[in-house]
Coordinates of all heavy atoms in Angstrom, one line a residue:
M1 N -2.1 -4.5 12.1 CA -3.3 -5.0 11.3 C -4.5 -4.4 11.9 O -5.6 -4.5 11.3 CB -3.3 -6.5 11.3 CG -2.2 -7.1 10.6 SD -2.5 -8.1 9.1 CE -4.0 -8.8 9.4
E2 N -4.5 -3.9 13.2 CA -5.7 -3.5 13.8 C -6.1 -2.1 13.4 O -5.2 -1.3 13.2 CB -5.6 -3.5 15.3 CG -5.6 -4.9 15.9 CD -5.6 -5.0 17.4 OE1 -6.0 -3.9 18.0 OE2 -5.3 -6.0 17.9
M3 N -7.4 -1.9 13.2 CA -7.9 -0.5 12.8 C -9.0 -0.1 13.7 O -9.8 -1.0 14.1 CB -8.4 -0.6 11.3 CG -7.3 -0.8 10.3 SD -8.0 -1.0 8.6 CE -8.8 0.6 8.4
P4 N -9.2 1.2 13.9 CA -10.4 1.6 14.6 C -11.6 1.3 13.7 O -11.5 1.2 12.5 CB -10.1 3.1 14.8 CG -9.1 3.5 13.9 CD -8.3 2.2 13.6
E5 N -12.8 1.2 14.4 CA -14.0 1.0 13.6 C -14.4 2.1 12.7 O -15.0 1.9 11.7 CB -15.2 0.6 14.5 CG -15.1 -0.7 15.1 CD -16.3 -1.1 15.9 OE1 -17.4 -0.5 15.6 OE2 -16.2 -2.0 16.8
A6 N -14.1 3.4 13.2 CA -14.5 4.5 12.4 C -13.5 5.7 12.6 O -12.8 5.6 13.7 CB -15.9 5.0 12.8
C7 N -13.4 6.6 11.7 CA -12.6 7.7 11.9 C -13.1 8.6 13.1 O -14.3 8.9 13.2 CB -12.6 8.6 10.6 SG -11.7 10.1 10.8
P8 N -12.2 9.0 14.0 CA -12.6 9.7 15.2 C -13.0 11.2 14.8 O -13.7 11.8 15.6 CB -11.3 9.8 16.0 CG -10.2 9.4 15.1 CD -10.7 8.6 14.0
V9 N -12.7 11.7 13.6 CA -13.0 13.0 13.2 C -14.3 13.1 12.4 O -15.2 13.8 12.8 CB -11.8 13.7 12.4 CG1 -12.2 15.1 11.9 CG2 -10.6 13.7 13.2
C10 N -14.3 12.3 11.4 CA -15.5 12.4 10.4 C -16.5 11.3 10.6 O -17.5 11.2 9.9 CB -15.1 12.5 9.0 SG -14.2 11.1 8.3
H11 N -16.1 10.2 11.4 CA -17.0 9.1 11.7 C -17.2 8.2 10.4 O -18.1 7.4 10.4 CB -18.3 9.5 12.3 CG -18.1 10.4 13.4 ND1 -17.5 10.0 14.6 CD2 -18.4 11.7 13.6 CE1 -17.5 11.0 15.4 NE2 -18.0 12.1 14.9
Q12 N -16.3 8.3 9.4 CA -16.3 7.4 8.3 C -16.0 5.9 8.8 O -15.0 5.8 9.5 CB -15.3 7.8 7.3 CG -15.0 6.7 6.2 CD -16.1 6.5 5.2 OE1 -16.6 7.4 4.7 NE2 -16.4 5.2 5.0
T13 N -16.9 5.0 8.5 CA -16.6 3.6 9.0 C -15.4 3.0 8.2 O -15.4 3.3 7.0 CB -17.9 2.7 8.9 OG1 -17.5 1.4 9.3 CG2 -18.4 2.6 7.4
Y14 N -14.5 2.3 8.8 CA -13.4 1.8 8.2 C -13.6 0.3 7.7 O -12.7 -0.2 7.0 CB -12.2 1.8 9.1 CG -11.6 3.1 9.3 CD1 -10.9 3.5 10.5 CD2 -11.6 4.1 8.3 CE1 -10.4 4.7 10.7 CE2 -11.1 5.4 8.5 CZ -10.4 5.7 9.7 OH -9.8 6.9 9.9
E15 N -14.6 -0.3 8.0 CA -14.9 -1.6 7.5 C -16.4 -1.7 7.1 O -17.2 -2.0 7.9 CB -14.6 -2.7 8.5 CG -14.6 -4.1 7.9 CD -13.7 -5.1 8.6 OE1 -13.1 -4.8 9.7 OE2 -13.6 -6.2 8.1
P16 N -16.7 -1.4 5.8 CA -18.1 -1.3 5.4 C -18.8 -2.7 5.5 O -20.0 -2.7 5.8 CB -18.0 -1.0 3.9 CG -16.6 -0.3 3.8 CD -15.7 -1.0 4.8
E17 N -18.1 -3.8 5.4 CA -18.6 -5.1 5.6 C -17.6 -6.1 6.1 O -16.4 -5.8 5.9 CB -19.3 -5.7 4.3 CG -18.3 -5.7 3.1 CD -18.9 -6.0 1.8 OE1 -19.9 -5.3 1.5 OE2 -18.5 -6.9 1.1
P18 N -17.9 -7.2 6.7 CA -16.9 -8.2 7.1 C -16.0 -8.7 6.0 O -16.6 -9.0 4.9 CB -17.7 -9.3 7.8 CG -19.0 -8.7 8.1 CD -19.3 -7.6 7.1
G19 N -14.8 -8.8 6.2 CA -13.9 -9.3 5.1 C -13.6 -8.3 4.0 O -13.2 -8.7 2.9
F20 N -14.0 -7.1 4.2 CA -13.9 -6.1 3.2 C -12.5 -6.0 2.6 O -12.3 -5.8 1.4 CB -14.3 -4.7 3.7 CG -14.2 -3.6 2.8 CD1 -15.0 -3.5 1.6 CD2 -13.2 -2.7 2.9 CE1 -14.9 -2.4 0.7 CE2 -13.0 -1.7 2.0 CZ -13.9 -1.5 1.0
Y21 N -11.5 -6.1 3.5 CA -10.1 -5.8 3.0 C -9.4 -7.0 2.4 O -8.2 -6.9 2.1 CB -9.3 -5.2 4.2 CG -9.8 -3.9 4.6 CD1 -10.4 -3.7 5.7 CD2 -9.5 -2.8 3.7 CE1 -10.9 -2.4 6.0 CE2 -9.9 -1.5 4.0 CZ -10.6 -1.3 5.2 OH -11.0 -0.1 5.4
Y22 N -10.1 -8.1 2.1 CA -9.4 -9.2 1.4 C -8.9 -8.8 0.0 O -7.9 -9.1 -0.4 CB -10.3 -10.4 1.3 CG -10.5 -11.2 2.5 CD1 -11.7 -11.5 3.0 CD2 -9.4 -11.8 3.2 CE1 -11.9 -12.2 4.2 CE2 -9.5 -12.4 4.3 CZ -10.7 -12.7 4.8 OH -10.8 -13.4 6.0
G23 N -9.7 -7.9 -0.6 CA -9.4 -7.4 -1.9 C -8.1 -6.5 -1.9 O -7.4 -6.4 -2.9
A24 N -7.8 -6.0 -0.7 CA -6.6 -5.1 -0.6 C -5.3 -5.9 -0.7 O -4.3 -5.3 -1.1 CB -6.6 -4.3 0.8
M25 N -5.4 -7.2 -0.5 CA -4.2 -8.0 -0.8 C -3.8 -7.9 -2.2 O -2.6 -7.9 -2.5 CB -4.5 -9.5 -0.4 CG -4.6 -9.8 1.1 SD -4.8 -11.6 1.5 CE -6.2 -12.1 0.5
Y26 N -4.7 -7.9 -3.2 CA -4.4 -7.9 -4.6 C -3.8 -6.5 -4.9 O -2.9 -6.4 -5.7 CB -5.6 -8.2 -5.4 CG -6.2 -9.6 -5.1 CD1 -7.3 -9.8 -4.3 CD2 -5.5 -10.7 -5.6 CE1 -7.8 -11.0 -4.1 CE2 -6.0 -12.0 -5.4 CZ -7.1 -12.1 -4.6 OH -7.5 -13.4 -4.3
I27 N -4.3 -5.5 -4.3 CA -3.8 -4.2 -4.5 C -2.4 -4.1 -3.9 O -1.5 -3.6 -4.6 CB -4.8 -3.1 -3.9 CG1 -6.1 -3.1 -4.6 CG2 -4.1 -1.7 -4.0 CD1 -7.2 -2.3 -3.8
S28 N -2.2 -4.6 -2.7 CA -0.9 -4.6 -2.1 C 0.1 -5.4 -3.0 O 1.3 -5.0 -3.2 CB -1.0 -5.2 -0.7 OG 0.3 -5.2 -0.2
S29 N -0.3 -6.5 -3.6 CA 0.5 -7.3 -4.4 C 0.9 -6.5 -5.7 O 2.1 -6.6 -6.1 CB -0.3 -8.6 -4.8 OG 0.4 -9.3 -5.8
G30 N 0.0 -5.7 -6.2 CA 0.3 -4.9 -7.3 C 1.3 -3.8 -7.0 O 2.3 -3.6 -7.7
F31 N 1.2 -3.3 -5.8 CA 2.2 -2.3 -5.3 C 3.5 -2.9 -5.2 O 4.6 -2.3 -5.6 CB 1.8 -1.6 -4.0 CG 0.6 -0.7 -4.0 CD1 -0.1 -0.3 -2.9 CD2 0.2 -0.1 -5.2 CE1 -1.1 0.6 -2.9 CE2 -0.8 0.8 -5.3 CZ -1.5 1.2 -4.2
S32 N 3.6 -4.1 -4.6 CA 4.9 -4.8 -4.4 C 5.5 -5.1 -5.8 O 6.7 -5.0 -5.9 CB 4.6 -6.1 -3.6 OG 4.2 -5.9 -2.4
T33 N 4.7 -5.5 -6.7 CA 5.2 -5.8 -8.1 C 5.8 -4.5 -8.7 O 6.9 -4.5 -9.3 CB 4.1 -6.3 -9.0 OG1 3.6 -7.5 -8.3 CG2 4.6 -6.7 -10.3
A34 N 5.1 -3.4 -8.4 CA 5.7 -2.1 -8.9 C 7.0 -1.8 -8.3 O 7.9 -1.3 -9.0 CB 4.7 -1.0 -8.6
V35 N 7.2 -2.0 -7.0 CA 8.4 -1.8 -6.3 C 9.5 -2.7 -6.8 O 10.6 -2.3 -7.2 CB 8.3 -2.0 -4.8 CG1 9.6 -2.0 -4.1 CG2 7.4 -0.9 -4.2
L36 N 9.1 -4.0 -7.0 CA 10.1 -5.0 -7.6 C 10.6 -4.6 -9.0 O 11.8 -4.5 -9.2 CB 9.3 -6.3 -7.6 CG 10.1 -7.6 -8.1 CD1 9.5 -8.8 -7.5 CD2 10.2 -7.7 -9.6
L37 N 9.6 -4.2 -9.8 CA 10.0 -3.8 -11.2 C 10.8 -2.5 -11.2 O 11.8 -2.4 -11.9 CB 8.8 -3.6 -12.1 CG 8.0 -4.9 -12.4 CD1 6.8 -4.6 -13.2 CD2 9.0 -5.9 -13.2
G38 N 10.4 -1.6 -10.4 CA 11.1 -0.3 -10.3 C 12.6 -0.5 -9.8 O 13.5 0.1 -10.5
I39 N 12.8 -1.3 -8.8 CA 14.1 -1.5 -8.3 C 14.9 -2.3 -9.3 O 16.1 -2.1 -9.5 CB 14.1 -2.2 -6.9 CG1 13.6 -1.1 -5.9 CG2 15.4 -2.7 -6.5 CD1 13.4 -1.7 -4.5
G40 N 14.3 -3.3 -9.9 CA 14.9 -4.1 -10.9 C 15.4 -3.2 -12.1 O 16.6 -3.4 -12.5
F41 N 14.6 -2.3 -12.6 CA 15.1 -1.4 -13.7 C 16.2 -0.5 -13.2 O 17.2 -0.3 -13.9 CB 13.9 -0.6 -14.2 CG 13.1 -1.4 -15.2 CD1 11.7 -1.7 -14.9 CD2 13.6 -1.8 -16.4 CE1 11.0 -2.4 -15.7 CE2 12.8 -2.5 -17.3 CZ 11.5 -2.9 -17.0
L42 N 16.0 0.0 -12.0 CA 17.1 0.9 -11.5 C 18.4 0.2 -11.4 O 19.5 0.8 -11.8 CB 16.7 1.5 -10.1 CG 15.7 2.6 -10.1 CD1 15.3 3.0 -8.7 CD2 16.2 3.8 -10.9
L43 N 18.4 -1.0 -10.8 CA 19.6 -1.8 -10.7 C 20.2 -2.1 -12.0 O 21.4 -2.0 -12.3 CB 19.4 -3.0 -9.9 CG 19.2 -2.9 -8.4 CD1 18.9 -4.3 -7.8 CD2 20.5 -2.4 -7.8
Y44 N 19.4 -2.5 -13.0 CA 19.8 -2.8 -14.3 C 20.5 -1.7 -15.0 O 21.6 -1.8 -15.5 CB 18.7 -3.4 -15.1 CG 19.1 -3.9 -16.5 CD1 19.6 -5.1 -16.7 CD2 19.0 -3.1 -17.6 CE1 20.0 -5.6 -17.9 CE2 19.5 -3.5 -18.9 CZ 20.0 -4.9 -19.0 OH 20.4 -5.3 -20.2
Y45 N 19.9 -0.5 -14.9 CA 20.5 0.6 -15.6 C 21.5 1.4 -14.9 O 22.4 1.9 -15.4 CB 19.4 1.5 -16.1 CG 18.6 0.9 -17.2 CD1 17.3 0.5 -17.0 CD2 19.1 0.7 -18.5 CE1 16.5 -0.2 -18.1 CE2 18.4 0.1 -19.5 CZ 17.2 -0.3 -19.3 OH 16.5 -1.0 -20.3
L46 N 21.3 1.6 -13.5 CA 22.2 2.4 -12.7 C 23.4 1.6 -12.2 O 24.5 2.2 -12.1 CB 21.5 3.1 -11.6 CG 20.4 4.1 -12.0 CD1 19.8 4.7 -10.8 CD2 21.0 5.2 -12.9
A47 N 23.2 0.3 -11.9 CA 24.3 -0.5 -11.4 C 24.9 -1.4 -12.4 O 25.6 -2.3 -12.1 CB 23.8 -1.3 -10.1
N48 N 24.5 -1.2 -13.7 CA 25.0 -1.9 -14.8 C 24.9 -3.5 -14.7 O 25.8 -4.2 -14.8 CB 26.6 -1.6 -14.9 CG 27.0 -1.7 -16.3 OD1 26.2 -1.8 -17.2 ND2 28.3 -1.7 -16.5
D49 N 23.6 -3.9 -14.5 CA 23.2 -5.3 -14.4 C 24.1 -6.1 -13.5 O 24.9 -6.9 -13.9 CB 23.2 -5.9 -15.8 CG 22.5 -7.2 -15.9 OD1 21.7 -7.5 -15.0 OD2 22.6 -7.9 -16.9
P50 N 23.9 -5.9 -12.1 CA 24.7 -6.7 -11.2 C 24.3 -8.2 -11.2 O 23.3 -8.5 -11.8 CB 24.3 -6.0 -9.8 CG 23.0 -5.4 -10.1 CD 22.9 -5.0 -11.5
P51 N 25.0 -9.0 -10.4 CA 24.7 -10.4 -10.3 C 23.3 -10.6 -9.7 O 22.7 -9.7 -9.0 CB 25.7 -11.0 -9.4 CG 26.8 -10.0 -9.3 CD 26.3 -8.6 -9.7
L52 N 22.7 -11.8 -9.9 CA 21.4 -12.1 -9.5 C 21.2 -11.9 -8.0 O 20.1 -11.4 -7.6 CB 21.0 -13.5 -9.9 CG 19.6 -14.0 -9.5 CD1 18.5 -13.1 -10.3 CD2 19.4 -15.5 -9.8
W53 N 22.2 -12.3 -7.2 CA 21.9 -12.1 -5.7 C 21.7 -10.7 -5.3 O 21.1 -10.4 -4.3 CB 23.1 -12.8 -5.0 CG 24.4 -12.1 -5.0 CD1 25.4 -12.3 -5.9 CD2 24.9 -11.0 -4.2 NE1 26.5 -11.4 -5.7 CE2 26.2 -10.6 -4.7 CE3 24.3 -10.3 -3.1 CZ2 26.9 -9.6 -4.1 CZ3 25.1 -9.3 -2.5 CH2 26.3 -9.0 -3.1
V54 N 22.3 -9.8 -6.1 CA 22.1 -8.3 -5.7 C 20.7 -8.0 -6.0 O 20.0 -7.3 -5.1 CB 23.1 -7.4 -6.6 CG1 22.8 -5.9 -6.3 CG2 24.5 -7.8 -6.2
Y55 N 20.1 -8.4 -7.1 CA 18.7 -8.2 -7.4 C 17.8 -8.7 -6.3 O 16.9 -8.0 -5.7 CB 18.3 -8.8 -8.7 CG 18.7 -8.1 -10.0 CD1 19.8 -8.6 -10.7 CD2 18.1 -7.0 -10.4 CE1 20.2 -8.0 -11.8 CE2 18.5 -6.3 -11.6 CZ 19.5 -6.8 -12.3 OH 19.9 -6.2 -13.4
V56 N 18.0 -10.0 -6.0 CA 17.2 -10.7 -5.0 C 17.2 -10.0 -3.7 O 16.2 -9.7 -3.0 CB 17.6 -12.2 -4.9 CG1 16.8 -12.9 -3.8 CG2 17.3 -12.9 -6.2
T57 N 18.5 -9.7 -3.2 CA 18.7 -9.1 -1.8 C 18.0 -7.7 -1.8 O 17.4 -7.4 -0.8 CB 20.2 -9.1 -1.5 OG1 20.7 -10.4 -1.6 CG2 20.4 -8.6 -0.1
T58 N 18.3 -6.9 -2.8 CA 17.9 -5.6 -2.8 C 16.3 -5.5 -2.8 O 15.7 -4.8 -2.0 CB 18.5 -4.8 -4.0 OG1 19.8 -4.9 -4.0 CG2 18.1 -3.3 -3.9
V59 N 15.8 -6.3 -3.7 CA 14.3 -6.3 -3.8 C 13.6 -6.9 -2.5 O 12.7 -6.3 -2.0 CB 13.9 -7.1 -5.1 CG1 12.4 -7.4 -5.0 CG2 14.2 -6.4 -6.3
A60 N 14.2 -7.9 -2.0 CA 13.6 -8.4 -0.7 C 13.7 -7.4 0.4 O 12.7 -7.3 1.1 CB 14.4 -9.7 -0.4
V61 N 14.8 -6.8 0.6 CA 15.0 -5.8 1.6 C 14.0 -4.6 1.5 O 13.3 -4.2 2.3 CB 16.4 -5.3 1.8 CG1 16.5 -4.1 2.7 CG2 17.3 -6.4 2.3
A62 N 14.0 -4.2 0.2 CA 13.1 -3.0 -0.1 C 11.6 -3.3 0.1 O 10.9 -2.6 0.7 CB 13.3 -2.5 -1.5
V63 N 11.2 -4.5 -0.4 CA 9.8 -4.8 -0.2 C 9.4 -5.0 1.2 O 8.4 -4.6 1.7 CB 9.4 -6.1 -1.1 CG1 8.1 -6.7 -0.7 CG2 9.5 -5.8 -2.6
L64 N 10.3 -5.7 2.0 CA 10.0 -5.8 3.4 C 10.0 -4.5 4.1 O 9.2 -4.3 5.0 CB 11.1 -6.7 4.1 CG 11.0 -8.2 3.8 CD1 12.2 -9.0 4.5 CD2 9.7 -8.7 4.4
A65 N 10.9 -3.6 3.7 CA 10.9 -2.2 4.3 C 9.6 -1.4 4.1 O 9.1 -0.7 4.9 CB 12.2 -1.5 3.8
V66 N 9.1 -1.6 2.9 CA 7.9 -0.7 2.6 C 6.6 -1.5 2.7 O 5.5 -0.9 2.5 CB 8.0 -0.2 1.1 CG1 9.2 0.8 1.0 CG2 8.0 -1.3 0.1
T67 N 6.6 -2.8 3.2 CA 5.4 -3.5 3.3 C 4.4 -2.8 4.3 O 3.2 -2.7 3.9 CB 5.7 -4.9 3.8 OG1 6.2 -5.6 2.7 CG2 4.4 -5.7 4.2
P68 N 4.8 -2.3 5.4 CA 3.8 -1.6 6.3 C 3.1 -0.4 5.5 O 1.9 -0.2 5.7 CB 4.5 -1.1 7.5 CG 5.8 -2.0 7.5 CD 6.1 -2.3 6.1
L69 N 3.9 0.3 4.8 CA 3.3 1.4 4.0 C 2.4 0.9 2.9 O 1.3 1.4 2.7 CB 4.5 2.2 3.4 CG 4.2 3.6 2.9 CD1 4.0 4.5 4.1 CD2 5.4 4.1 2.2
L70 N 2.8 -0.1 2.2 CA 1.9 -0.6 1.1 C 0.7 -1.2 1.7 O -0.4 -1.1 1.1 CB 2.7 -1.7 0.3 CG 4.0 -1.4 -0.3 CD1 4.5 -2.6 -1.1 CD2 3.8 -0.2 -1.3
F71 N 0.8 -1.9 2.8 CA -0.4 -2.5 3.4 C -1.4 -1.3 3.8 O -2.7 -1.5 3.4 CB 0.1 -3.1 4.8 CG -1.0 -3.7 5.6 CD1 -1.5 -5.0 5.3 CD2 -1.5 -3.1 6.7 CE1 -2.5 -5.6 6.0 CE2 -2.5 -3.7 7.4 CZ -3.0 -4.9 7.1
R72 N -1.0 -0.2 4.3 CA -1.9 0.9 4.6 C -2.5 1.5 3.4 O -3.7 1.8 3.3 CB -1.3 1.9 5.5 CG -1.1 1.3 6.9 CD -0.3 2.3 7.8 NE -0.1 1.8 9.1 CZ -0.9 2.1 10.1 NH1 -1.8 3.0 9.9 NH2 -0.7 1.6 11.3
Y73 N -1.6 1.8 2.4 CA -2.1 2.4 1.2 C -3.0 1.5 0.4 O -4.0 2.0 -0.2 CB -0.9 2.8 0.3 CG -0.4 4.2 0.7 CD1 0.8 4.4 1.4 CD2 -1.2 5.3 0.4 CE1 1.2 5.6 1.8 CE2 -0.7 6.6 0.8 CZ 0.4 6.7 1.5 OH 0.9 8.0 1.9
A74 N -2.8 0.2 0.4 CA -3.7 -0.7 -0.2 C -5.1 -0.7 0.4 O -6.1 -0.7 -0.3 CB -3.2 -2.1 -0.2
R75 N -5.1 -0.6 1.7 CA -6.4 -0.5 2.4 C -7.1 0.8 2.1 O -8.3 0.9 1.9 CB -6.2 -0.6 3.9 CG -6.0 -2.1 4.3 CD -6.0 -2.3 5.8 NE -6.1 -3.7 6.1 CZ -6.7 -4.2 7.1 NH1 -7.2 -3.4 8.0 NH2 -6.8 -5.5 7.3
A76 N -6.3 1.9 2.0 CA -6.9 3.2 1.7 C -7.5 3.2 0.3 O -8.6 3.7 0.0 CB -5.9 4.3 1.9
V77 N -6.7 2.6 -0.7 CA -7.2 2.5 -2.1 C -8.5 1.7 -2.1 O -9.4 2.1 -2.8 CB -6.1 1.9 -3.0 CG1 -6.7 1.5 -4.3 CG2 -5.0 2.9 -3.2
M78 N -8.5 0.6 -1.3 CA -9.7 -0.2 -1.3 C -10.9 0.6 -0.7 O -12.0 0.5 -1.3 CB -9.4 -1.4 -0.4 CG -10.4 -2.5 -0.4 SD -10.4 -3.5 -1.9 CE -11.9 -4.5 -1.7
L79 N -10.6 1.3 0.3 CA -11.7 2.0 1.0 C -12.3 3.1 0.1 O -13.5 3.3 0.0 CB -11.2 2.6 2.3 CG -12.3 3.2 3.3 CD1 -13.4 2.2 3.6 CD2 -11.6 3.8 4.5
Y80 N -11.4 3.9 -0.6 CA -11.8 4.9 -1.4 C -12.3 4.4 -2.8 O -13.3 5.0 -3.3 CB -10.7 6.0 -1.6 CG -10.6 6.9 -0.5 CD1 -9.7 6.6 0.6 CD2 -11.3 8.1 -0.5 CE1 -9.6 7.5 1.6 CE2 -11.2 9.0 0.6 CZ -10.3 8.7 1.6 OH -10.3 9.5 2.7
G81 N -11.7 3.4 -3.3 CA -12.1 2.9 -4.6 C -13.3 2.0 -4.6 O -14.1 2.1 -5.5
V82 N -13.4 1.2 -3.6 CA -14.5 0.2 -3.6 C -15.5 0.5 -2.5 O -16.7 0.3 -2.7 CB -13.9 -1.2 -3.5 CG1 -15.0 -2.3 -3.5 CG2 -12.9 -1.5 -4.6
G83 N -15.0 1.0 -1.4 CA -15.9 1.1 -0.2 C -16.8 2.3 -0.2 O -17.6 2.5 0.8
G84 N -16.6 3.2 -1.2 CA -17.6 4.3 -1.2 C -17.2 5.5 -0.3 O -17.9 6.4 -0.2
A85 N -16.0 5.5 0.3 CA -15.5 6.6 1.1 C -15.2 7.8 0.2 O -14.8 7.5 -1.0 CB -14.3 6.2 1.9
S86 N -15.4 9.0 0.6 CA -15.0 10.1 -0.3 C -14.3 11.2 0.6 O -14.5 11.3 1.7 CB -16.3 10.7 -0.9 OG -17.2 11.1 0.1
F87 N -13.4 11.8 -0.1 CA -12.6 12.9 0.5 C -13.5 14.1 0.8 O -14.2 14.6 -0.1 CB -11.4 13.2 -0.4 CG -10.6 14.4 0.1 CD1 -9.8 14.2 1.2 CD2 -10.7 15.6 -0.5 CE1 -9.1 15.3 1.7 CE2 -9.9 16.7 -0.1 CZ -9.1 16.5 1.0
D88 N -13.4 14.6 2.0 CA -14.2 15.9 2.3 C -13.2 16.9 2.9 O -12.7 16.8 4.0 CB -15.2 15.6 3.4 CG -16.2 16.7 3.6 OD1 -15.8 17.8 3.2 OD2 -17.3 16.5 4.1
P89 N -12.9 17.9 2.1 CA -11.9 18.9 2.5 C -12.3 19.7 3.8 O -11.4 20.3 4.4 CB -11.8 19.9 1.3 CG -13.0 19.6 0.5 CD -13.5 18.2 0.8
R90 N -13.5 19.6 4.2 CA -13.9 20.3 5.5 C -13.2 19.7 6.7 O -13.0 20.4 7.7 CB -15.4 20.1 5.7 CG -16.3 20.9 4.8 CD -17.7 20.7 5.2 NE -18.1 19.3 5.0 CZ -19.1 18.7 5.5 NH1 -20.0 19.4 6.3 NH2 -19.3 17.4 5.4
Y91 N -12.7 18.5 6.6 CA -12.0 17.9 7.7 C -10.5 18.0 7.7 O -9.8 17.6 8.5 CB -12.3 16.4 7.8 CG -13.8 16.2 8.0 CD1 -14.6 15.6 7.1 CD2 -14.3 16.4 9.4 CE1 -16.0 15.4 7.3 CE2 -15.7 16.2 9.6 CZ -16.5 15.7 8.6 OH -17.8 15.5 8.8
L92 N -10.0 18.8 6.7 CA -8.5 18.9 6.5 C -7.9 19.7 7.6 O -6.8 19.3 8.1 CB -8.2 19.6 5.2 CG -7.9 18.7 4.0 CD1 -7.5 19.6 2.9 CD2 -6.8 17.8 4.3
S93 N -8.5 20.7 8.1 CA -7.9 21.6 9.1 C -8.0 21.2 10.5 O -7.5 21.8 11.4 CB -8.5 23.0 8.9 OG -9.9 23.0 9.2
R94 N -8.7 20.0 10.8 CA -8.9 19.6 12.1 C -7.8 18.7 12.6 O -7.1 18.1 11.8 CB -10.3 18.8 12.3 CG -11.4 19.8 12.0 CD -12.7 19.0 12.2 NE -13.8 19.9 11.8 CZ -15.1 19.6 11.9 NH1 -15.5 18.4 12.4 NH2 -16.0 20.4 11.4
Ligands
ZN101 ZN1 -12.0 11.0 8.8

């Protein structure tokens, strides 16, 4: 959960204001829902509609496994979408 205050390369601040990342919880929730629905559809069509416990177990394990990734991507989406950060290709090669 800890983040540096700013990017060591381009000095972009990572927290524009206190509590900035509360909104990222909603983005992360959306990502989790997408994972849940994706796995649900895959199980339904590829595993021929298995019993309920297979859905619950598979979705729970998958969501837990990707939560650290979703957490970081949700913060990145928040920072770029709401926080005013912008991509600068000059920093790509460093
Ligand atoms: Zn940077």
Side-chain angles (χ1 to χ4, degrees):
M1 299 242 330
E2 289 187 18
M3 292 175 64
E5 283 188 24
C7 176
V9 177
C10 66
H11 309 294
Q12 162 73 48
T13 180
Y14 284 151
E15 189 154 7
E17 59 190 48
F20 175 74
Y21 290 108
Y22 284 125
M25 287 188 304
Y26 298 102
I27 296 170
S28 181
S29 172
F31 286 164
S32 296
T33 303
V35 169
L36 184 154
L37 290 176
I39 290 175
F41 280 113
L42 282 178
L43 283 174
Y44 184 83
Y45 288 109
L46 297 181
N48 208 11
D49 195 15
L52 179 64
W53 69 267
V54 175
Y55 284 104
V56 172
T57 306
T58 308
V59 166
V61 167
V63 167
L64 282 177
V66 296
T67 290
L69 199 67
L70 299 184
F71 180 80
R72 289 174 178 263
Y73 274 106
R75 285 186 164 212
V77 167
M78 188 76 188
L79 188 60
Y80 279 89
V82 180
S86 59
F87 174 70
D88 189 342
R90 285 180 303 163
Y91 295 110
L92 265 185
S93 59
R94 295 186 187 180

